[in-house]
C-alpha cells in the first residue's frame, strides 16, 4: 500500500517546498511509492484528510489559520516532520517576534513603512489574524522528526523520506543532516 504523504505550508517562504521539487527525477520514483493526499504543490484539497502517514510541515505557526491547520495535521498524521528551520525555530518569520505583538508588527509594516495611503489589511474571514508571535511547530504540537536547513537540501530531504519509506525513524546525525541555515 502506498504511503499517504502530505506537505503543509504554514508561515514560510515556500523555499522548503522548492527544495522538495529539487528532488528532480527521484520525484518519479517517489510518486510510485506515495499518494500525495494534501499539498500546495500537488493538489487543490482544502481540508486536511484523515489517516496521513507522513506530513512535511514547512514554516512557523504565525496566524490563526496556521494554528487551526497544525492541530488538524497533528490529529490526523502518524509522523509529523518539522520541515526546515522556520518550522523548527521560527527562523525568518520569527524575526517579527522582536516587536511586541501583532498590532505593532502590522502598524510598522502597513502604516509606518508605507510610502502613501497606508492601511491595515482587514477582511474578517478572509485575512487570517496574526498571532502575537510566530511559534516553532513543536511549541504548539509534538513533532516526530526534525529536518533542519533553510531550506533543507534535496539530498537531506531524500534521506529522511527514504528512511520513512522503509518504515524506519530517520536518524538525523552528522554534518550532512544536522545543519541549520
Ligand atoms: Fe523559507 Fe528557509 Fe523558512 Fe524554508 S526554512 S520556509 S527556505 S525561510
Amino acid at each position: 500500500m502506498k504511503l499517504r504523504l502530505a506537505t503543509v505550508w504554514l508561515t514560510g517562504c515556500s523555499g522548503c517546498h522548492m527544495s522538495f521539487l529539487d528532488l528532480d527525477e527521484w520525484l518519479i520514483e517517489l510518486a510510485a511509492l506515495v499518494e500525495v493526499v494534501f499539498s500546495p504543490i500537488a493538489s487543490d484539497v482544502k481540508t486536511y484528510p484523515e489517516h496521513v502517514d507522513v506530513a512535511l510541515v514547512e514554516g512557523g505557526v504565525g496566524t490563526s489559520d496556521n494554528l487551526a491547520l497544525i492541530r488538524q495535521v497533528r490529529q490526523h498524521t502518524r509522523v509529523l516532520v518539522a520541515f526546515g528551520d522556520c518550522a523548527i525555530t521560527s527562523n525568518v518569520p520569527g524575526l517579527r517576534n522582536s516587536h511586541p505583538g501583532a498590532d505593532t508588527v502590522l502598524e510598522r509594516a502597513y502604516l509606518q513603512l508605507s510610502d502613501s495611503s497606508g492601511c491595515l489589511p482587514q477582511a474578517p474571514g478572509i485575512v487570517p489574524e496574526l498571532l502575537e508571535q510566530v511559534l516553532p511547530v513543536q511549541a504548539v504540537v509534538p513533532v516526530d522528526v526534525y529536518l533542519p536547513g533553510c531550506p533543507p537540501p534535496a539530498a537531506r530531504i531524500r534521506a529522511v523520506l527514504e528512511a520513512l519509506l522503509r518504515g524506519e525513524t530517520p536518524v538525523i546525525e552528522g554534518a550532512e543532516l544536522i545543519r541549520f541555515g
Side-chain angles (χ1 to χ4, degrees):
M1 202 163 72
K2 287 187 171 185
L3 181 142
R4 286 167 61 80
L5 176 69
T7 78
V8 177
W9 184 12
L10 303 179
T11 297
C13 74
S14 86
C16 293
H17 274 84
M18 294 303 105
S19 197
F20 180 85
L21 294 178
D22 277 346
L23 287 164
D24 295 334
E25 68 272 16
W26 192 69
L27 286 172
I28 297 170
E29 288 180 44
L30 183 65
L33 301 172
V34 303
E35 179 186 358
V36 179
V37 293
F38 185 89
S39 174
I41 55 176
S43 68
D44 197 30
V45 175
K46 302 291 188 222
T47 305
Y48 195 78
E50 297 185 347
H51 309 301
V52 175
D53 292 309
V54 174
L56 301 177
V57 178
E58 172 194 310
V61 182
T63 69
S64 53
D65 278 14
N66 290 170
L67 192 56
L69 179 55
I70 196 61
R71 286 176 173 154
Q72 286 276 308
V73 170
R74 183 63 280 180
Q75 186 178 353
H76 297 298
T77 306
R78 190 165 51 83
V79 180
L80 191 158
V81 181
F83 181 29
D85 291 355
C86 291
I88 297 172
T89 68
S90 77
N91 194 33
V92 176
L95 292 175
R96 80 164 168 88
N97 294 348
S98 58
H99 291 275
D103 289 345
T104 311
V105 170
L106 290 170
E107 284 169 18
R108 180 75 179 143
Y110 288 93
L111 301 179
Q112 295 168 12
L113 295 178
S114 73
D115 293 328
S116 63
S117 63
C119 75
L120 293 172
Q122 288 175 333
I126 297 176
V127 178
E129 283 182 31
L130 290 190
L131 303 183
E132 292 299 299
Q133 295 215 313
V134 182
L135 302 169
V137 171
Q138 76 272 9
V140 182
V141 296
V143 166
D144 301 302
V145 177
Y146 294 90
L147 174 48
C150 181
R156 199 176 299 165
I157 299 170
R158 178 172 171 172
V160 166
L161 287 175
E162 284 180 328
L164 291 169
L165 286 164
R166 291 192 299 270
E168 300 171 1
T169 301
V171 178
I172 311 292
E173 62 183 16
E176 283 308 308
L177 293 186
I178 303 179
R179 185 172 297 169
F180 288 85

